[in-house]
Amino acid sequence: MISYLQIENLTKSFGDLVLLESASLGVAEGQRIGLIAKNGSGKTTLLNIISGKEGYDSGTISFRRDLRVGYLEQDPQYPEGLTVLEACFHHGNSTVELIKEYERCMETEGHPGLDEILVRMDHEKAWDYEQKAKQILSQLKIRNFDQQVNHLSGGQLKRVALANTLITEPDLLILDEPTNHLDLDMTEWLEDYLRRTNLSLLMVTHDRYFLDRVCTEIIEIDNRQIYQYKGNYSYYLEKRQERIDSANVEISRANNLYRTELEWMRRMPQARGHKARYREEAFYELEKVAKQRSNNDNVKLDVKASYIGSKIFEADHVYKSFGDLKILEDFSYIFARYEKMGIVGNNGTGKSTFIKILMGEQKADSGTIDIGETVRFGYYSQDGLQFDEQMKVIDVVQDIAEVIELGNGKKLTASQFLQHFLFTPETQHSYVYKLSGGERRRLYLCTVLVRNPNFLVLDEPTNDLDIITLNVLEEYLQNFKGCVIVVSHDRYFMDKVVDHLLVFNGQADIRDFPGNYTQYRDWKEEKTRLEKEKEKEISKPLEDKTAKVRMNEKRRMSFKEKREFEQLEEEIAALEEEKKAIEAALCSGTLSVEELTEKSKRLPEVTDLIDEKTMRWLELSEIESN
């Protein structure tokens, strides 16, 4: 394999904070590498170093000669006043610089060096650059090329930057959180695009489906060291756990030996004078291993939700529009207790506007939203990440609450609460301006949850959070004894958290789907396939169509019936097990009179349920077999 990028013994620190220490890694032709680490571990810093935007303390970075590198920043910035098309000529990639060189040459008398420039223009395919830019922008649903970039939404700006990166067809593509601010359709477009190309790839992303489907290798930064895994995200999870288990065994073994050696080291110097020098040196090496922390950090979100009544919120005939753009039209909905709703849809369909109307930040044109008296919102918004940069992390939380109630009489101090979110005592007493983007998000999440809400409204909570934090946030939301509304483009996150989806299709077309995102996607693909089949049937000549009609044709099982069919199999199996257990208990002769009575009543109930569900299963299985 041809080496594209080689990093040797890279060290990078900010004052006392060492992010990378003698780290080495390489990217070869055809490799697709995902970079994973906790927030603040140096992921973005490493990408900035590779792209030349940031320096480093020591080590070497070498690229293959004439390698074309494309870099998508996490938060791309463009000068105000540029149009979309001008933005594609703004960042100085090699093709753009060549076009500028050609223009300067043509403006200079005698056109010095024109022949050489023309050869390079042909080689770089620079003549087609503008057309190629328009083509990729169109694929990314950016069609107004004269619109100024300062009028674009965050998602549109990310797509312009993505187009800017892809236009030059780089050999090595470096992506920092490419799916942030992209809607689901655009995320899936990018996923398919990268899978179809032969690009070498190095990227940071929290989107686990994206990692699993695009990357073939995972690199993890942990404790300033780099670990490589030759497989996708699923493979990485398995092998990482094996590494952690092995390290924990080694640390435990080293601790036991360390206690023995420490006793020897504490003896009088005379006692050590006759010992081999190597044993003393080995002790210090052993001490390093013994004092390593076991890699079991967790973000523990055990804050108990306050009581919530049966009335949550009721939307009644709500209308909202901006000129010709309709957001809500005669929208009515009654939110249920403990409901967990996901909201999906393309950018610009009104998801965030709907949330802001619910939270009272925007007014509906007409209609009412009635909030229950016991509802206490915890609102995590895209715009809410605003802190006093000169405050210490601990002060941000203490300004809200110095003691956090966990329920059952248990309490946590603000410092203990922050430690559960992986904020070390050193970081807690550091200033906010020193935090990374992901650490700021984590702190913002702390400030939302510390208020003990019973209704969480989370607008794009996954942006910039590391995968470790996301895993535990998902677990917390699954067990949260309150209501949840989540707006997110993270498919994996939605699959694990929500019970159903509110799908915003645009122009106030809002549909309720009973399932998670993957189930919705499967249903949508099946629906599209059936519609295409129907179109083919309609387009056929009348005589062909009538000739192929079959009498008594059996219908297909619906999506809802498929889910019911799968659930019935599980329910019948569970009931059969319960029936066996009851029969065994009744025959044991060990039951008390009360237990005997209870189980005797339950047995016919279970038998009836088995019969009822079996009949329904047989009905559905007939449809399935056709």
Side-chain angles (χ1 to χ4, degrees):
M1 292 172 72
I2 301 170
S3 177
Y4 277 178
L5 166 67
Q6 196 63 42
I7 298 172
E8 298 288 348
N9 299 316
L10 184 71
T11 298
K12 173 65 177 177
S13 60
F14 293 97
D16 296 334
L17 176 63
V18 180
L19 288 180
L20 298 165
E21 189 171 29
S22 300
S24 298
L25 67 94
V27 182
E29 181 182 13
Q31 282 188 301
R32 298 164 179 264
I33 298 173
L35 185 60
I36 292 177
K38 294 176 187 174
N39 289 140
S41 299
K43 301 186 295 292
T44 295
T45 299
L46 177 59
L47 297 191
N48 283 335
I49 290 171
I50 293 171
S51 65
K53 293 182 176 294
E54 199 162 318
Y56 50 96
D57 303 334
S58 61
T60 58
I61 298 176
S62 52
F63 291 92
R64 196 200 74 184
R65 190 179 174 186
D66 298 328
L67 185 76
R68 287 180 303 188
V69 180
Y71 179 37
L72 178 69
E73 296 178 74
Q74 189 173 144
D75 295 303
Q77 303 292 328
Y78 293 97
E80 287 193 14
L82 288 184
T83 65
V84 166
L85 196 56
E86 286 170 345
C88 290
F89 286 84
H90 175 67
H91 286 310
N93 59 57
S94 59
T95 307
V96 168
E97 292 304 317
L98 180 57
I99 292 170
K100 289 178 181 177
E101 190 179 339
Y102 168 76
E103 289 172 348
R104 285 194 297 270
C105 176
M106 295 305 292
E107 291 168 2
T108 305
E109 189 176 345
H111 313 311
L114 179 61
D115 290 342
E116 182 200 348
I117 292 173
L118 290 174
V119 171
R120 288 164 58 202
M121 289 280 285
D122 288 333
H123 178 71
E124 291 266 351
K125 300 177 183 176
W127 306 108
D128 304 325
Y129 187 85
E130 183 175 326
Q131 188 58 38
K132 200 187 303 179
K134 289 180 178 178
Q135 183 181 357
I136 292 181
L137 285 167
S138 297
Q139 288 177 322
L140 290 165
K141 298 183 181 178
I142 301 285
R143 297 183 176 90
N144 185 355
F145 306 132
D146 297 323
Q147 185 178 5
Q148 292 192 351
V149 291
N150 49 298
H151 294 155
L152 299 177
S153 68
Q156 290 171 321
L157 192 64
K158 193 68 174 265
R159 280 182 272 157
V160 169
L162 183 57
N164 201 344
T165 308
L166 298 177
I167 290 162
T168 55
E169 299 177 359
D171 303 309
L172 172 61
L173 186 58
I174 300 173
L175 304 173
D176 193 358
E177 296 291 3
T179 63
N180 273 11
H181 307 298
L182 293 186
D183 58 39
L184 292 166
D185 283 351
M186 284 295 94
T187 297
E188 288 171 353
W189 178 89
L190 180 59
E191 195 176 276
D192 290 338
Y193 178 90
L194 294 175
R195 287 164 68 182
R196 281 187 276 107
T197 63
N198 295 319
L199 287 169
S200 297
L201 187 65
L202 176 63
M203 73 171 177
V204 170
T205 182
H206 64 264
D207 190 322
R208 287 150 289 180
Y209 280 151
F210 198 84
L211 272 173
D212 215 30
R213 294 166 184 171
V214 173
C215 293
T216 55
E217 295 182 40
I218 302 292
I219 290 178
E220 181 185 18
I221 302 175
D222 188 21
N223 288 330
R224 303 194 294 272
Q225 298 299 308
I226 285 179
Y227 300 91
Q228 292 188 265
Y229 302 87
K230 301 284 186 181
N232 63 7
Y233 179 70
S234 300
Y235 176 84
Y236 152 76
L237 286 178
E238 179 187 340
K239 294 302 176 184
R240 178 182 185 271
Q241 192 57 50
E242 288 178 12
R243 175 176 70 79
I244 289 171
D245 291 342
S246 176
N248 289 342
V249 168
E250 185 182 351
I251 292 168
S252 177
R253 193 177 295 145
N255 271 310
N256 292 333
L257 184 56
Y258 177 68
R259 284 190 287 272
T260 304
E261 293 294 286
L262 183 60
E263 187 179 331
W264 175 78
M265 288 290 289
R266 281 173 175 167
R267 291 176 191 164
M268 296 294 291
Q270 293 86 340
R272 291 207 308 269
H274 302 290
K275 303 292 181 183
R277 179 69 180 169
Y278 79 87
R279 184 170 177 182
E280 191 173 334
E281 292 172 350
F283 169 79
Y284 293 113
E285 290 300 316
L286 179 65
E287 186 176 43
K288 288 179 186 177
V289 176
K291 290 189 175 181
Q292 285 180 17
R293 287 185 300 107
S294 297
N295 199 331
N296 58 359
D297 286 333
N298 279 318
V299 184
K300 296 184 179 179
L301 310 176
D302 295 331
V303 181
K304 184 183 178 183
S306 56
Y307 169 77
I308 190 167
S310 56
K311 182 179 179 181
I312 312 303
F313 82 77
E314 297 179 7
D316 189 32
H317 301 292
V318 179
Y319 287 77
K320 180 67 180 178
S321 61
F322 298 98
D324 294 333
L325 177 62
K326 295 177 183 178
I327 304 298
L328 301 172
E329 186 174 51
D330 199 22
F331 177 81
S332 296
Y333 191 85
I334 298 175
F335 205 85
R337 201 179 189 189
Y338 306 137
E339 186 173 334
K340 292 182 173 67
M341 173 198 284
I343 296 180
V344 298
N346 291 342
N347 291 334
T349 53
K351 305 184 298 296
S352 291
T353 301
F354 171 71
I355 292 297
K356 288 175 180 176
I357 291 172
L358 174 62
M359 299 305 300
E361 292 187 0
Q362 283 193 12
K363 288 187 177 180
D365 297 335
S366 62
T368 59
I369 291 184
D370 190 12
I371 309 293
E373 291 181 4
T374 60
V375 171
R376 291 178 60 179
F377 284 113
Y379 182 31
Y380 183 103
S381 73
Q382 293 187 58
D383 308 322
L385 194 64
Q386 296 171 354
F387 299 113
D388 182 344
E389 297 284 317
Q390 298 303 318
M391 283 185 75
K392 291 183 178 179
V393 171
I394 183 73
D395 294 334
V396 172
V397 175
Q398 282 182 335
D399 277 2
I400 301 169
E402 294 198 2
V403 176
I404 296 91
E405 299 286 342
L406 298 181
N408 302 320
K410 296 180 181 178
K411 299 179 181 179
L412 281 182
T413 64
S415 178
Q416 289 170 327
F417 184 76
L418 281 165
Q419 283 190 57
H420 285 304
F421 284 84
L422 305 185
F423 287 106
T424 63
E426 293 81 9
T427 308
Q428 289 178 32
H429 290 90
S430 184
Y431 292 98
V432 170
Y433 73 83
K434 293 185 177 180
L435 298 180
S436 69
E439 287 172 320
R440 286 170 180 246
R441 288 279 173 189
R442 203 179 333 137
L443 178 59
Y444 178 32
L445 190 59
C446 280
T447 64
V448 172
L449 298 177
V450 79
R451 300 175 195 272
N452 199 20
N454 54 27
F455 193 147
L456 287 170
V457 180
L458 309 175
D459 192 0
E460 294 294 354
T462 63
N463 284 356
D464 302 323
L465 289 182
D466 58 59
I467 290 173
I468 297 167
T469 307
L470 286 176
N471 283 334
V472 189
L473 177 58
E474 287 157 359
E475 186 179 350
Y476 169 72
L477 292 175
Q478 286 167 342
N479 299 319
F480 180 66
K481 301 301 181 188
C483 298
V484 178
I485 291 180
V486 180
V487 180
S488 179
H489 297 138
D490 189 323
R491 300 158 292 178
Y492 193 101
F493 184 81
M494 295 289 267
D495 278 356
K496 291 187 74 175
V497 169
V498 305
D499 302 321
H500 73 113
L501 300 177
L502 216 56
V503 183
F504 281 63
N505 294 312
Q507 287 300 106
D509 180 9
I510 301 171
R511 306 296 174 96
D512 192 1
F513 180 81
N516 62 26
Y517 179 76
T518 296
Q519 291 164 338
Y520 166 69
R521 191 68 188 167
D522 291 344
W523 170 82
K524 195 175 177 183
E525 287 176 357
E526 178 68 8
K527 181 170 175 282
T528 302
R529 186 186 65 79
L530 291 173
E531 285 173 351
K532 285 181 179 177
E533 285 184 2
K534 192 174 181 181
E535 285 174 8
K536 287 179 184 177
E537 287 293 319
I538 291 171
S539 65
K540 288 179 183 179
L542 184 63
E543 59 273 21
D544 289 346
K545 184 178 176 182
T546 52
K548 292 186 179 179
V549 170
R550 288 178 293 174
M551 300 302 292
N552 300 321
E553 188 173 17
K554 299 294 183 181
R555 68 178 180 86
R556 289 178 176 273
M557 191 182 289
S558 70
F559 178 79
K560 192 173 180 181
E561 286 171 331
K562 282 183 180 178
R563 290 190 65 211
E564 183 188 357
F565 186 63
E566 291 166 0
Q567 288 172 353
L568 280 170
E569 289 180 338
E570 295 174 5
E571 289 170 1
I572 291 168
L575 287 167
E576 292 283 5
E577 288 298 319
E578 185 182 354
K579 184 181 177 183
K580 285 180 185 176
I582 292 173
E583 289 173 343
L586 290 172
C587 295
S588 66
T590 60
L591 299 179
S592 65
V593 176
E594 291 80 6
E595 289 173 328
L596 191 63
T597 304
E598 181 187 340
K599 292 194 180 296
S600 297
K601 287 180 180 178
R602 178 61 180 161
L603 184 59
E605 291 176 2
V606 171
T607 304
D608 289 344
L609 280 170
I610 291 171
D611 291 343
E612 179 188 328
K613 290 181 184 294
T614 301
M615 286 300 294
R616 178 59 178 157
W617 183 88
L618 288 169
E619 289 174 14
L620 293 173
S621 65
E622 286 182 15
I623 300 172
E624 175 74 4
S625 62
N626 288 306

